[in-house]
Structure formats: C-alpha cells, structure tokens
Amino acid sequence: MTEANMAAIQRLLDKQAITEVLHRYARGVDRCDRSMLEIAYWPDAIDDHIIFKASGDELLDNICASIRNMRTAHRITNILIEFDHDAQARCESYVWAYHNMSVEAGGREDIVFGGRYLDRFEKRSGEWRIAERRVVMDYFQRQPASEDLGVFGSLEINGGHFPSDPSYALPQRSLHA
C-alpha cells in the first residue's frame, strides 16, 4: 500500500471518528448523560451556544441543567469536515433539535431549532473531541404541544434520561462508548 493510500485511509478514519463524536454529543444531550458529553468535548473546550457561552464543567452543567426537564431529539446531518493538519479539523454540521418542555402557565410547549454547529476539533493522544463550538441559528419554531395525540395518546413514552433510558440496558453498554 502506498503512503498516499495510507494517508487517505487515515483521513477517512479521522472523519468517522469526528462524526461519531457529533453523534455522541447528540445522544449525550438527549439522554442528559454527562459522561457522554464529557467524551465529546475536551475539558478546556469553549462552546458559544447562543444563550450561553461556557467551557469545562460550567458548560456541561449548563447543558445538563437546561434539558433535565425536557424531552429532546437532536439530529445532526450534512457533516462537512476539513483538516487544517493531522491534529486539527474544522467541521460544519446541520442540527435539527426538538424540545418538548413544561411552560410556566402550565401544559407543554414544542420548540424546534434548526441551525448549524461550527466546530473546531482537536486530536489529542489519538482521540478527536470538540475544542471549540459556535452554534448558528437558521430557524426557530415555538408552539403549544399538541393535546390530541390520536392513536399515540395511549402509548407510553419510554425514552428517558440516563440511566433509565432503555438504551442503557443493552449488553455491555455497547452504545455508550
């Protein structure tokens, strides 16, 4: 195998590793799983998340506190990765984030956010994580949650936060690491 082929394979492996960090982040947020978020960000990472800007423990505490009483679903797509060098990459990814939350007046509200994550990733000791993130909002919808769930009204919502979500019962926690 040529050196150029080896370098191309390494780039593909690095892109896959970065993509998996993005997916771990989404899962960490939706499951309110701090340990999952810790392996998505470097401890000194900075995140400008529109409504807060923080780093380290403050960042993770803020994320977990913000979504603790919500049901969320984050979808990350259109992932474009460009490498500055072997240990640094820039990434733009689209995010669609659904939030179902209680409102002060009673009842629940649905919020849908569409935007992009502009990330700088760093590879340290062979591991990729987010070093810097800026969230860009492209659209935002807010409306009362539907009271008429039709046939779905009789179904139990069984997704949840860490550790009660059914995904944590999988053998050897295979989706966690």
Side-chain angles (χ1 to χ4, degrees):
M1 183 171 292
T2 69
E3 198 170 308
N5 287 344
M6 298 275 290
I9 290 170
Q10 185 58 55
R11 278 289 188 243
L12 290 173
L13 291 171
D14 289 337
K15 284 185 175 191
Q16 182 61 35
I18 289 169
T19 299
E20 288 180 17
V21 169
L22 293 168
H23 293 166
R24 273 197 294 284
Y25 167 81
R27 183 167 188 257
V29 170
D30 292 340
R31 300 288 69 86
C32 196
D33 184 343
R34 185 187 170 100
S35 65
M36 182 70 64
L37 293 168
E38 286 173 351
I39 60 173
Y41 285 99
W42 288 114
D44 59 345
I46 297 171
D47 188 321
D48 183 350
H49 220 87
I50 301 174
I51 58 174
F52 67 88
K53 183 176 183 177
S55 66
D57 286 336
E58 182 184 7
L59 167 63
L60 300 177
D61 291 345
N62 198 314
I63 290 172
C64 290
S66 296
I67 52 102
R68 184 165 285 117
N69 296 314
M70 295 183 200
R71 291 189 295 264
T72 64
H74 287 70
R75 306 292 182 262
I76 300 175
T77 63
N78 298 11
I79 300 167
L80 296 174
I81 302 166
E82 295 182 17
F83 292 90
D84 296 324
H85 51 76
D86 290 344
Q88 184 171 294
R90 288 172 284 117
C91 178
E92 177 186 49
S93 54
Y94 285 51
V95 60
W96 177 93
Y98 166 80
H99 304 80
N100 177 276
M101 56 197 293
S102 297
V103 293
E104 288 182 25
R108 299 193 70 80
E109 186 173 68
D110 289 332
I111 295 174
V112 177
F113 167 88
R116 289 167 286 134
Y117 295 142
L118 304 180
D119 294 324
R120 182 174 53 82
F121 279 82
E122 290 182 1
K123 186 177 188 179
R124 302 177 189 173
S125 300
E127 182 179 1
W128 287 100
R129 293 188 193 183
I130 300 164
E132 186 176 358
R133 167 168 283 173
R134 179 174 176 218
V135 179
V136 176
M137 181 169 38
D138 291 325
Y139 67 88
F140 184 87
Q141 294 176 314
R142 182 178 179 177
Q143 61 193 23
S146 175
E147 299 294 325
D148 179 14
L149 301 177
V151 67
F152 296 105
S154 64
L155 299 178
E156 178 184 344
I157 295 175
N158 59 12
H161 292 158
F162 174 82
S164 62
D165 185 81
S167 64
Y168 293 97
L170 291 173
Q172 299 175 9
R173 293 178 62 153
S174 60
L175 291 180
H176 195 271

